Amino acid sequence: MKTIGMIGGMSWESSLEYYRLLNTGVKSALGGLHSAKTLMYSVDFEEIEALQHKEDWGELSRQMTEVAIMLENAGANMLMICTNTMHKMADDVQKNIGIPLLHIADAAAEEIKRRGFHTVGLLGTRFTMEQDFYRGRLKDRHGIDVIVPESREMDIVHRVIYNELCLGELKDKSRALFRNIISELEKAGAEGVVLGCTEIPLLIKQKDVDIPVFNTMELHAAEAVRLSIREAV
């Protein structure tokens, strides 16, 4: 079994769920007392969040690369960045390590294509929704069109992520707001919705909305499990 390197802590609430998903996935596949071989470096998200909102992506790229090299040197055979937004620097990180980085958008795209969909809505931080590093990858690499909310709705999603979900707060009022936003994306032509922030699945489940939900955290973890046990099954 291969060892999965994880850059976590962004936020630790979703990293905790990542750890559960990896271990339950390996146990389900191999049975018995099997569990995932993992190495996690958990950052201080307060520091990361401050740099994100300063848009100091160069420093963030340097930090993510430094951690990735540490994990590779510690014995990781593959790398996961356990958050969507920080995949903005995924290409820079990959250039500086000798192990594969499992891109979260690719994991989502494979499931979207498997379901036969061509147009999806995207929810995430404003960085993820507005910038091209995520939307562009879905379109250019996978041929998937992406619809994002209007600016006012982006503000709502962004605020709830940082001010509530990353603090472990799940509010019914915010769930209702997200449901309305997803409904608007459906009206705009979305066949499904990508939960492009690893905290959003803590709030929104498939039962909450009418269109298919793509839980990027689950899909990312499932791909890591598949690759880690490929030679063991």
Side-chain angles (χ1 to χ4, degrees), residues 142-206:
H142 301 282
I144 299 168
D145 292 322
V146 178
I147 302 170
V148 296
E150 299 294 332
S151 182
R152 183 185 66 82
E153 295 174 330
M154 279 191 188
D155 286 339
I156 293 170
V157 174
H158 189 88
R159 174 185 58 77
V160 169
I161 289 170
Y162 282 98
N163 295 350
E164 297 175 20
L165 302 183
C166 287
L167 297 173
E169 298 178 10
L170 307 178
K171 299 181 178 180
D172 289 338
K173 179 180 179 181
S174 296
R175 182 177 293 105
L177 288 170
F178 274 50
R179 291 178 67 182
N180 289 337
I181 292 169
I182 292 170
S183 178
E184 291 301 313
L185 291 173
E186 182 183 11
K187 290 176 184 176
E191 300 167 280
V193 60
V194 174
L195 304 185
C197 168
T198 52
E199 279 73 35
I200 296 178
L202 304 176
L203 182 70
I204 294 294
K205 313 294 184 186
Q206 183 61 73

Side-chain angles (χ1 to χ4, degrees), residues 22 45 60 67-68 75 82 86 104 111 132-133 139 143 152 159 165 176 183 186 200 203 208 230-231:
L22 291 173
F45 191 43
L60 287 167
V67 173
C82 299
M86 297 300 281
I104 196 168
E111 179 63 12
D132 196 50
F133 70 92
K139 177 63 176 177
R152 183 185 66 82
R159 174 185 58 77
L165 302 183
S183 178
E186 182 183 11
I200 296 178
L203 182 70
D208 295 313
R230 184 165 53 185
E231 296 172 359

Side-chain angles (χ1 to χ4, degrees), residues 43-109:
V43 302
D44 180 355
F45 191 43
E46 180 81 13
E47 299 171 359
I48 298 298
E49 183 272 340
L51 290 168
Q52 286 179 339
H53 285 93
K54 289 179 183 176
E55 301 210 38
D56 192 349
W57 303 111
E59 174 59 18
L60 287 167
S61 183
R62 186 194 69 78
Q63 291 188 20
M64 290 297 104
T65 298
E66 183 179 85
V67 173
I69 292 170
M70 289 172 57
L71 288 168
E72 180 178 14
N73 290 339
N77 303 117
M78 65 190 75
L79 181 71
M80 306 178 74
I81 301 175
C82 299
T83 173
N84 285 268
T85 296
M86 297 300 281
H87 279 74
K88 180 176 173 67
M89 57 277 309
D91 290 343
D92 287 341
V93 172
Q94 182 66 86
K95 290 175 185 176
N96 287 282
I97 57 176
I99 58 176
L101 186 156
L102 310 184
H103 201 294
I104 196 168
D106 292 342

